[in-house]
PDB file of all heavy atoms in Angstrom:
ATOM      1  N   SER A   8      98.080 120.788  85.231  1.00  0.00           N
ATOM      2  CA  SER A   8      99.153 121.402  84.450  1.00  0.00           C
ATOM      3  C   SER A   8     100.531 120.841  84.792  1.00  0.00           C
ATOM      4  O   SER A   8     101.282 120.458  83.917  1.00  0.00           O
ATOM      5  CB  SER A   8      99.131 122.915  84.602  1.00  0.00           C
ATOM      6  OG  SER A   8      99.299 123.258  85.963  1.00  0.00           O
ATOM      7  N   ASP A   9     100.891 120.781  86.052  1.00  0.00           N
ATOM      8  CA  ASP A   9     102.198 120.222  86.424  1.00  0.00           C
ATOM      9  C   ASP A   9     102.135 119.416  87.719  1.00  0.00           C
ATOM     10  O   ASP A   9     103.137 119.219  88.387  1.00  0.00           O
ATOM     11  CB  ASP A   9     103.255 121.309  86.520  1.00  0.00           C
ATOM     12  CG  ASP A   9     103.002 122.293  87.651  1.00  0.00           C
ATOM     13  OD1 ASP A   9     101.885 122.303  88.187  1.00  0.00           O
ATOM     14  OD2 ASP A   9     103.915 123.042  87.995  1.00  0.00           O
ATOM     15  N   ASN A  10     100.949 118.929  88.057  1.00  0.00           N
ATOM     16  CA  ASN A  10     100.762 118.111  89.254  1.00  0.00           C
ATOM     17  C   ASN A  10     100.073 116.800  88.889  1.00  0.00           C
ATOM     18  O   ASN A  10      99.180 116.776  88.052  1.00  0.00           O
ATOM     19  CB  ASN A  10      99.918 118.831  90.301  1.00  0.00           C
ATOM     20  CG  ASN A  10     100.584 120.078  90.811  1.00  0.00           C
ATOM     21  OD1 ASN A  10     101.779 120.104  91.075  1.00  0.00           O
ATOM     22  ND2 ASN A  10      99.810 121.140  90.942  1.00  0.00           N
ATOM     23  N   LEU A  11     100.499 115.734  89.548  1.00  0.00           N
ATOM     24  CA  LEU A  11      99.875 114.432  89.375  1.00  0.00           C
ATOM     25  C   LEU A  11      99.323 114.006  90.718  1.00  0.00           C
ATOM     26  O   LEU A  11     100.071 113.881  91.691  1.00  0.00           O
ATOM     27  CB  LEU A  11     100.901 113.408  88.863  1.00  0.00           C
ATOM     28  CG  LEU A  11     100.415 111.970  88.712  1.00  0.00           C
ATOM     29  CD1 LEU A  11      99.238 111.880  87.744  1.00  0.00           C
ATOM     30  CD2 LEU A  11     101.558 111.089  88.252  1.00  0.00           C
ATOM     31  N   ASP A  12      98.013 113.831  90.791  1.00  0.00           N
ATOM     32  CA  ASP A  12      97.342 113.386  92.012  1.00  0.00           C
ATOM     33  C   ASP A  12      96.939 111.929  91.842  1.00  0.00           C
ATOM     34  O   ASP A  12      96.230 111.588  90.898  1.00  0.00           O
ATOM     35  CB  ASP A  12      96.113 114.241  92.300  1.00  0.00           C
ATOM     36  CG  ASP A  12      96.454 115.699  92.527  1.00  0.00           C
ATOM     37  OD1 ASP A  12      97.509 115.964  93.128  1.00  0.00           O
ATOM     38  OD2 ASP A  12      95.667 116.570  92.106  1.00  0.00           O
ATOM     39  N   LEU A  13      97.405 111.087  92.757  1.00  0.00           N
ATOM     40  CA  LEU A  13      97.098 109.664  92.728  1.00  0.00           C
ATOM     41  C   LEU A  13      96.250 109.297  93.924  1.00  0.00           C
ATOM     42  O   LEU A  13      96.449 109.831  95.017  1.00  0.00           O
ATOM     43  CB  LEU A  13      98.383 108.836  92.785  1.00  0.00           C
ATOM     44  CG  LEU A  13      99.399 109.030  91.679  1.00  0.00           C
ATOM     45  CD1 LEU A  13     100.684 108.300  92.027  1.00  0.00           C
ATOM     46  CD2 LEU A  13      98.842 108.537  90.363  1.00  0.00           C
ATOM     47  N   THR A  14      95.319 108.385  93.727  1.00  0.00           N
ATOM     48  CA  THR A  14      94.595 107.754  94.824  1.00  0.00           C
ATOM     49  C   THR A  14      94.866 106.265  94.715  1.00  0.00           C
ATOM     50  O   THR A  14      94.547 105.642  93.702  1.00  0.00           O
ATOM     51  CB  THR A  14      93.084 108.029  94.739  1.00  0.00           C
ATOM     52  OG1 THR A  14      92.863 109.441  94.762  1.00  0.00           O
ATOM     53  CG2 THR A  14      92.358 107.395  95.913  1.00  0.00           C
ATOM     54  N   VAL A  15      95.492 105.720  95.745  1.00  0.00           N
ATOM     55  CA  VAL A  15      95.872 104.307  95.754  1.00  0.00           C
ATOM     56  C   VAL A  15      95.104 103.614  96.867  1.00  0.00           C
ATOM     57  O   VAL A  15      95.189 104.018  98.022  1.00  0.00           O
ATOM     58  CB  VAL A  15      97.395 104.144  95.983  1.00  0.00           C
ATOM     59  CG1 VAL A  15      97.771 102.672  95.958  1.00  0.00           C
ATOM     60  CG2 VAL A  15      98.187 104.932  94.956  1.00  0.00           C
ATOM     61  N   ASN A  16      94.354 102.585  96.509  1.00  0.00           N
ATOM     62  CA  ASN A  16      93.625 101.791  97.499  1.00  0.00           C
ATOM     63  C   ASN A  16      94.512 100.615  97.873  1.00  0.00           C
ATOM     64  O   ASN A  16      94.741  99.712  97.070  1.00  0.00           O
ATOM     65  CB  ASN A  16      92.298 101.317  96.926  1.00  0.00           C
ATOM     66  CG  ASN A  16      91.452 100.625  97.970  1.00  0.00           C
ATOM     67  OD1 ASN A  16      91.869 100.436  99.101  1.00  0.00           O
ATOM     68  ND2 ASN A  16      90.253 100.252  97.591  1.00  0.00           N
ATOM     69  N   SER A  17      95.020 100.624  99.097  1.00  0.00           N
ATOM     70  CA  SER A  17      95.943  99.602  99.561  1.00  0.00           C
ATOM     71  C   SER A  17      95.233  98.632 100.511  1.00  0.00           C
ATOM     72  O   SER A  17      94.416  99.044 101.320  1.00  0.00           O
ATOM     73  CB  SER A  17      97.123 100.255 100.275  1.00  0.00           C
ATOM     74  OG  SER A  17      98.027  99.281 100.735  1.00  0.00           O
ATOM     75  N   PHE A  18      95.589  97.363 100.411  1.00  0.00           N
ATOM     76  CA  PHE A  18      95.003  96.345 101.274  1.00  0.00           C
ATOM     77  C   PHE A  18      95.663  96.296 102.642  1.00  0.00           C
ATOM     78  O   PHE A  18      95.135  95.679 103.562  1.00  0.00           O
ATOM     79  CB  PHE A  18      95.093  94.976 100.601  1.00  0.00           C
ATOM     80  CG  PHE A  18      94.291  94.903  99.338  1.00  0.00           C
ATOM     81  CD1 PHE A  18      94.927  94.894  98.113  1.00  0.00           C
ATOM     82  CD2 PHE A  18      92.907  94.875  99.365  1.00  0.00           C
ATOM     83  CE1 PHE A  18      94.196  94.847  96.936  1.00  0.00           C
ATOM     84  CE2 PHE A  18      92.166  94.823  98.205  1.00  0.00           C
ATOM     85  CZ  PHE A  18      92.815  94.812  96.984  1.00  0.00           C
ATOM     86  N   GLU A  19      96.833  96.921 102.771  1.00  0.00           N
ATOM     87  CA  GLU A  19      97.554  96.907 104.045  1.00  0.00           C
ATOM     88  C   GLU A  19      98.561  98.053 104.075  1.00  0.00           C
ATOM     89  O   GLU A  19      98.778  98.718 103.076  1.00  0.00           O
ATOM     90  CB  GLU A  19      98.267  95.570 104.247  1.00  0.00           C
ATOM     91  CG  GLU A  19      99.239  95.221 103.141  1.00  0.00           C
ATOM     92  CD  GLU A  19      99.695  93.787 103.235  1.00  0.00           C
ATOM     93  OE1 GLU A  19     100.647  93.554 103.991  1.00  0.00           O
ATOM     94  OE2 GLU A  19      99.109  92.930 102.572  1.00  0.00           O
ATOM     95  N   ASN A  20      99.167  98.275 105.221  1.00  0.00           N
ATOM     96  CA  ASN A  20     100.212  99.276 105.345  1.00  0.00           C
ATOM     97  C   ASN A  20     101.470  98.759 104.660  1.00  0.00           C
ATOM     98  O   ASN A  20     101.854  97.609 104.865  1.00  0.00           O
ATOM     99  CB  ASN A  20     100.531  99.557 106.815  1.00  0.00           C
ATOM    100  CG  ASN A  20      99.347 100.115 107.562  1.00  0.00           C
ATOM    101  OD1 ASN A  20      98.376 100.580 106.982  1.00  0.00           O
ATOM    102  ND2 ASN A  20      99.409 100.056 108.875  1.00  0.00           N
ATOM    103  N   GLU A  21     102.088  99.600 103.840  1.00  0.00           N
ATOM    104  CA  GLU A  21     103.355  99.205 103.224  1.00  0.00           C
ATOM    105  C   GLU A  21     104.066 100.413 102.630  1.00  0.00           C
ATOM    106  O   GLU A  21     103.441 101.397 102.262  1.00  0.00           O
ATOM    107  CB  GLU A  21     103.177  98.111 102.179  1.00  0.00           C
ATOM    108  CG  GLU A  21     102.451  98.512 100.921  1.00  0.00           C
ATOM    109  CD  GLU A  21     102.363  97.357  99.922  1.00  0.00           C
ATOM    110  OE1 GLU A  21     103.341  96.618  99.739  1.00  0.00           O
ATOM    111  OE2 GLU A  21     101.297  97.214  99.314  1.00  0.00           O
ATOM    112  N   ASP A  22     105.389 100.302 102.567  1.00  0.00           N
ATOM    113  CA  ASP A  22     106.205 101.298 101.891  1.00  0.00           C
ATOM    114  C   ASP A  22     106.184 100.997 100.402  1.00  0.00           C
ATOM    115  O   ASP A  22     106.279  99.835  99.992  1.00  0.00           O
ATOM    116  CB  ASP A  22     107.650 101.250 102.394  1.00  0.00           C
ATOM    117  CG  ASP A  22     107.765 101.680 103.844  1.00  0.00           C
ATOM    118  OD1 ASP A  22     107.037 102.607 104.242  1.00  0.00           O
ATOM    119  OD2 ASP A  22     108.573 101.098 104.578  1.00  0.00           O
ATOM    120  N   VAL A  23     106.072 102.058  99.585  1.00  0.00           N
ATOM    121  CA  VAL A  23     106.064 101.882  98.135  1.00  0.00           C
ATOM    122  C   VAL A  23     106.999 102.893  97.493  1.00  0.00           C
ATOM    123  O   VAL A  23     107.333 103.923  98.081  1.00  0.00           O
ATOM    124  CB  VAL A  23     104.644 102.037  97.537  1.00  0.00           C
ATOM    125  CG1 VAL A  23     103.701 100.967  98.049  1.00  0.00           C
ATOM    126  CG2 VAL A  23     104.080 103.419  97.783  1.00  0.00           C
ATOM    127  N   ILE A  24     107.395 102.577  96.280  1.00  0.00           N
ATOM    128  CA  ILE A  24     108.127 103.516  95.437  1.00  0.00           C
ATOM    129  C   ILE A  24     107.285 103.722  94.188  1.00  0.00           C
ATOM    130  O   ILE A  24     106.832 102.758  93.566  1.00  0.00           O
ATOM    131  CB  ILE A  24     109.517 102.987  95.058  1.00  0.00           C
ATOM    132  CG1 ILE A  24     110.325 102.673  96.308  1.00  0.00           C
ATOM    133  CG2 ILE A  24     110.253 104.018  94.195  1.00  0.00           C
ATOM    134  CD1 ILE A  24     111.655 102.002  96.025  1.00  0.00           C
ATOM    135  N   ILE A  25     107.050 104.987  93.851  1.00  0.00           N
ATOM    136  CA  ILE A  25     106.279 105.329  92.659  1.00  0.00           C
ATOM    137  C   ILE A  25     107.268 105.670  91.550  1.00  0.00           C
ATOM    138  O   ILE A  25     108.150 106.513  91.733  1.00  0.00           O
ATOM    139  CB  ILE A  25     105.343 106.514  92.928  1.00  0.00           C
ATOM    140  CG1 ILE A  25     104.345 106.126  94.019  1.00  0.00           C
ATOM    141  CG2 ILE A  25     104.630 106.938  91.646  1.00  0.00           C
ATOM    142  CD1 ILE A  25     103.482 107.268  94.488  1.00  0.00           C
ATOM    143  N   TYR A  26     107.102 104.992  90.422  1.00  0.00           N
ATOM    144  CA  TYR A  26     107.941 105.242  89.252  1.00  0.00           C
ATOM    145  C   TYR A  26     107.049 105.731  88.123  1.00  0.00           C
ATOM    146  O   TYR A  26     105.978 105.170  87.880  1.00  0.00           O
ATOM    147  CB  TYR A  26     108.622 103.959  88.781  1.00  0.00           C
ATOM    148  CG  TYR A  26     109.541 103.322  89.784  1.00  0.00           C
ATOM    149  CD1 TYR A  26     109.111 102.244  90.554  1.00  0.00           C
ATOM    150  CD2 TYR A  26     110.845 103.770  89.941  1.00  0.00           C
ATOM    151  CE1 TYR A  26     109.955 101.635  91.463  1.00  0.00           C
ATOM    152  CE2 TYR A  26     111.698 103.172  90.848  1.00  0.00           C
ATOM    153  CZ  TYR A  26     111.254 102.103  91.604  1.00  0.00           C
ATOM    154  OH  TYR A  26     112.096 101.503  92.508  1.00  0.00           O
ATOM    155  N   LEU A  27     107.499 106.756  87.415  1.00  0.00           N
ATOM    156  CA  LEU A  27     106.821 107.240  86.215  1.00  0.00           C
ATOM    157  C   LEU A  27     107.808 107.104  85.061  1.00  0.00           C
ATOM    158  O   LEU A  27     108.912 107.656  85.116  1.00  0.00           O
ATOM    159  CB  LEU A  27     106.385 108.693  86.378  1.00  0.00           C
ATOM    160  CG  LEU A  27     105.713 109.330  85.164  1.00  0.00           C
ATOM    161  CD1 LEU A  27     104.371 108.657  84.873  1.00  0.00           C
ATOM    162  CD2 LEU A  27     105.509 110.825  85.373  1.00  0.00           C
ATOM    163  N   TYR A  28     107.417 106.318  84.037  1.00  0.00           N
ATOM    164  CA  TYR A  28     108.268 106.059  82.886  1.00  0.00           C
ATOM    165  C   TYR A  28     107.600 106.582  81.621  1.00  0.00           C
ATOM    166  O   TYR A  28     106.372 106.559  81.507  1.00  0.00           O
ATOM    167  CB  TYR A  28     108.463 104.551  82.677  1.00  0.00           C
ATOM    168  CG  TYR A  28     109.221 103.855  83.758  1.00  0.00           C
ATOM    169  CD1 TYR A  28     108.549 103.176  84.772  1.00  0.00           C
ATOM    170  CD2 TYR A  28     110.604 103.833  83.759  1.00  0.00           C
ATOM    171  CE1 TYR A  28     109.242 102.509  85.765  1.00  0.00           C
ATOM    172  CE2 TYR A  28     111.306 103.166  84.755  1.00  0.00           C
ATOM    173  CZ  TYR A  28     110.614 102.507  85.748  1.00  0.00           C
ATOM    174  OH  TYR A  28     111.301 101.850  86.731  1.00  0.00           O
ATOM    175  N   ASP A  29     108.422 106.996  80.642  1.00  0.00           N
ATOM    176  CA  ASP A  29     107.868 107.268  79.320  1.00  0.00           C
ATOM    177  C   ASP A  29     107.841 105.949  78.551  1.00  0.00           C
ATOM    178  O   ASP A  29     108.294 104.912  79.048  1.00  0.00           O
ATOM    179  CB  ASP A  29     108.641 108.376  78.595  1.00  0.00           C
ATOM    180  CG  ASP A  29     110.073 108.021  78.264  1.00  0.00           C
ATOM    181  OD1 ASP A  29     110.452 106.827  78.341  1.00  0.00           O
ATOM    182  OD2 ASP A  29     110.831 108.941  77.912  1.00  0.00           O
ATOM    183  N   LEU A  30     107.302 105.964  77.332  1.00  0.00           N
ATOM    184  CA  LEU A  30     107.164 104.714  76.584  1.00  0.00           C
ATOM    185  C   LEU A  30     108.493 104.154  76.098  1.00  0.00           C
ATOM    186  O   LEU A  30     108.568 102.998  75.690  1.00  0.00           O
ATOM    187  CB  LEU A  30     106.213 104.898  75.403  1.00  0.00           C
ATOM    188  CG  LEU A  30     104.733 104.889  75.766  1.00  0.00           C
ATOM    189  CD1 LEU A  30     103.867 104.951  74.519  1.00  0.00           C
ATOM    190  CD2 LEU A  30     104.353 103.682  76.596  1.00  0.00           C
ATOM    191  N   GLN A  31     109.550 104.955  76.137  1.00  0.00           N
ATOM    192  CA  GLN A  31     110.882 104.464  75.785  1.00  0.00           C
ATOM    193  C   GLN A  31     111.573 103.816  76.987  1.00  0.00           C
ATOM    194  O   GLN A  31     112.703 103.369  76.897  1.00  0.00           O
ATOM    195  CB  GLN A  31     111.763 105.599  75.231  1.00  0.00           C
ATOM    196  CG  GLN A  31     111.381 106.060  73.841  1.00  0.00           C
ATOM    197  CD  GLN A  31     110.099 106.877  73.818  1.00  0.00           C
ATOM    198  OE1 GLN A  31     109.830 107.653  74.732  1.00  0.00           O
ATOM    199  NE2 GLN A  31     109.305 106.696  72.780  1.00  0.00           N
ATOM    200  N   GLY A  32     110.886 103.800  78.134  1.00  0.00           N
ATOM    201  CA  GLY A  32     111.440 103.174  79.321  1.00  0.00           C
ATOM    202  C   GLY A  32     112.313 104.086  80.160  1.00  0.00           C
ATOM    203  O   GLY A  32     112.934 103.639  81.118  1.00  0.00           O
ATOM    204  N   ARG A  33     112.354 105.374  79.828  1.00  0.00           N
ATOM    205  CA  ARG A  33     113.154 106.322  80.613  1.00  0.00           C
ATOM    206  C   ARG A  33     112.409 106.700  81.883  1.00  0.00           C
ATOM    207  O   ARG A  33     111.216 107.021  81.842  1.00  0.00           O
ATOM    208  CB  ARG A  33     113.455 107.574  79.791  1.00  0.00           C
ATOM    209  CG  ARG A  33     114.398 107.310  78.630  1.00  0.00           C
ATOM    210  CD  ARG A  33     114.671 108.584  77.885  1.00  0.00           C
ATOM    211  NE  ARG A  33     113.438 109.045  77.259  1.00  0.00           N
ATOM    212  CZ  ARG A  33     113.320 109.375  75.980  1.00  0.00           C
ATOM    213  NH1 ARG A  33     114.360 109.332  75.185  1.00  0.00           N
ATOM    214  NH2 ARG A  33     112.164 109.762  75.488  1.00  0.00           N
ATOM    215  N   LEU A  34     113.124 106.682  82.992  1.00  0.00           N
ATOM    216  CA  LEU A  34     112.542 107.044  84.283  1.00  0.00           C
ATOM    217  C   LEU A  34     112.383 108.554  84.366  1.00  0.00           C
ATOM    218  O   LEU A  34     113.346 109.299  84.193  1.00  0.00           O
ATOM    219  CB  LEU A  34     113.441 106.537  85.420  1.00  0.00           C
ATOM    220  CG  LEU A  34     112.968 106.832  86.834  1.00  0.00           C
ATOM    221  CD1 LEU A  34     111.645 106.141  87.123  1.00  0.00           C
ATOM    222  CD2 LEU A  34     114.028 106.409  87.834  1.00  0.00           C
ATOM    223  N   ILE A  35     111.161 109.016  84.636  1.00  0.00           N
ATOM    224  CA  ILE A  35     110.867 110.444  84.748  1.00  0.00           C
ATOM    225  C   ILE A  35     110.839 110.860  86.218  1.00  0.00           C
ATOM    226  O   ILE A  35     111.384 111.882  86.590  1.00  0.00           O
ATOM    227  CB  ILE A  35     109.502 110.779  84.085  1.00  0.00           C
ATOM    228  CG1 ILE A  35     109.442 110.249  82.651  1.00  0.00           C
ATOM    229  CG2 ILE A  35     109.217 112.260  84.149  1.00  0.00           C
ATOM    230  CD1 ILE A  35     110.449 110.837  81.700  1.00  0.00           C
ATOM    231  N   ILE A  36     110.177 110.044  87.049  1.00  0.00           N
ATOM    232  CA  ILE A  36     110.020 110.359  88.477  1.00  0.00           C
ATOM    233  C   ILE A  36     110.218 109.076  89.282  1.00  0.00           C
ATOM    234  O   ILE A  36     109.765 108.003  88.875  1.00  0.00           O
ATOM    235  CB  ILE A  36     108.621 110.918  88.777  1.00  0.00           C
ATOM    236  CG1 ILE A  36     108.421 112.277  88.131  1.00  0.00           C
ATOM    237  CG2 ILE A  36     108.379 111.032  90.277  1.00  0.00           C
ATOM    238  CD1 ILE A  36     107.008 112.786  88.255  1.00  0.00           C
ATOM    239  N   GLU A  37     110.855 109.218  90.434  1.00  0.00           N
ATOM    240  CA  GLU A  37     110.930 108.151  91.434  1.00  0.00           C
ATOM    241  C   GLU A  37     110.643 108.802  92.778  1.00  0.00           C
ATOM    242  O   GLU A  37     111.280 109.786  93.136  1.00  0.00           O
ATOM    243  CB  GLU A  37     112.306 107.514  91.443  1.00  0.00           C
ATOM    244  CG  GLU A  37     112.456 106.415  92.467  1.00  0.00           C
ATOM    245  CD  GLU A  37     113.827 105.774  92.412  1.00  0.00           C
ATOM    246  OE1 GLU A  37     114.452 105.728  91.342  1.00  0.00           O
ATOM    247  OE2 GLU A  37     114.268 105.308  93.481  1.00  0.00           O
ATOM    248  N   SER A  38     109.664 108.274  93.506  1.00  0.00           N
ATOM    249  CA  SER A  38     109.235 108.907  94.754  1.00  0.00           C
ATOM    250  C   SER A  38     108.814 107.845  95.768  1.00  0.00           C
ATOM    251  O   SER A  38     108.050 106.934  95.436  1.00  0.00           O
ATOM    252  CB  SER A  38     108.066 109.847  94.456  1.00  0.00           C
ATOM    253  OG  SER A  38     107.652 110.533  95.590  1.00  0.00           O
ATOM    254  N   ASN A  39     109.315 107.942  97.002  1.00  0.00           N
ATOM    255  CA  ASN A  39     108.995 107.001  98.084  1.00  0.00           C
ATOM    256  C   ASN A  39     107.800 107.498  98.890  1.00  0.00           C
ATOM    257  O   ASN A  39     107.706 108.697  99.179  1.00  0.00           O
ATOM    258  CB  ASN A  39     110.179 106.846  99.028  1.00  0.00           C
ATOM    259  CG  ASN A  39     111.370 106.243  98.346  1.00  0.00           C
ATOM    260  OD1 ASN A  39     111.267 105.186  97.733  1.00  0.00           O
ATOM    261  ND2 ASN A  39     112.505 106.904  98.432  1.00  0.00           N
ATOM    262  N   HIS A  40     106.916 106.549  99.266  1.00  0.00           N
ATOM    263  CA  HIS A  40     105.732 106.897 100.058  1.00  0.00           C
ATOM    264  C   HIS A  40     105.360 105.753 100.978  1.00  0.00           C
ATOM    265  O   HIS A  40     105.680 104.602 100.724  1.00  0.00           O
ATOM    266  CB  HIS A  40     104.541 107.216  99.141  1.00  0.00           C
ATOM    267  CG  HIS A  40     104.763 108.429  98.325  1.00  0.00           C
ATOM    268  ND1 HIS A  40     104.475 109.685  98.773  1.00  0.00           N
ATOM    269  CD2 HIS A  40     105.290 108.584  97.091  1.00  0.00           C
ATOM    270  CE1 HIS A  40     104.798 110.562  97.842  1.00  0.00           C
ATOM    271  NE2 HIS A  40     105.297 109.912  96.816  1.00  0.00           N
ATOM    272  N   GLN A  41     104.637 106.082 102.043  1.00  0.00           N
ATOM    273  CA  GLN A  41     104.094 105.099 102.977  1.00  0.00           C
ATOM    274  C   GLN A  41     102.589 105.027 102.751  1.00  0.00           C
ATOM    275  O   GLN A  41     101.901 106.046 102.866  1.00  0.00           O
ATOM    276  CB  GLN A  41     104.392 105.502 104.421  1.00  0.00           C
ATOM    277  CG  GLN A  41     103.671 104.692 105.476  1.00  0.00           C
ATOM    278  CD  GLN A  41     104.085 103.230 105.520  1.00  0.00           C
ATOM    279  OE1 GLN A  41     105.253 102.927 105.453  1.00  0.00           O
ATOM    280  NE2 GLN A  41     103.125 102.346 105.628  1.00  0.00           N
TER     281      GLN A  41
END
C-alpha cells in the first residue's frame, strides 16, 4: 500500500543512492544506503 521493498544483489560492498522517478522524469524519492 505505501511501502516499497527492494532486494538488491550486489557484487561488492558499496554506497548507493536509490532514486524513484515518474515517467515525466520527476524525482519522487532519493534515499542513501550501504
Side-chain angles (χ1 to χ4, degrees):
S8 60
D9 66 346
N10 296 317
L11 176 59
D12 298 324
L13 300 171
T14 302
V15 181
N16 186 356
S17 180
F18 296 107
E19 57 192 275
N20 298 344
E21 68 178 319
D22 293 323
V23 297
I24 303 174
I25 298 173
Y26 299 99
L27 178 66
Y28 294 98
D29 65 14
L30 282 185
Q31 288 73 36
R33 292 181 294 231
L34 180 63
I35 307 298
I36 293 173
E37 179 178 330
S38 183
N39 296 307
H40 295 274
Q41 170 65 44

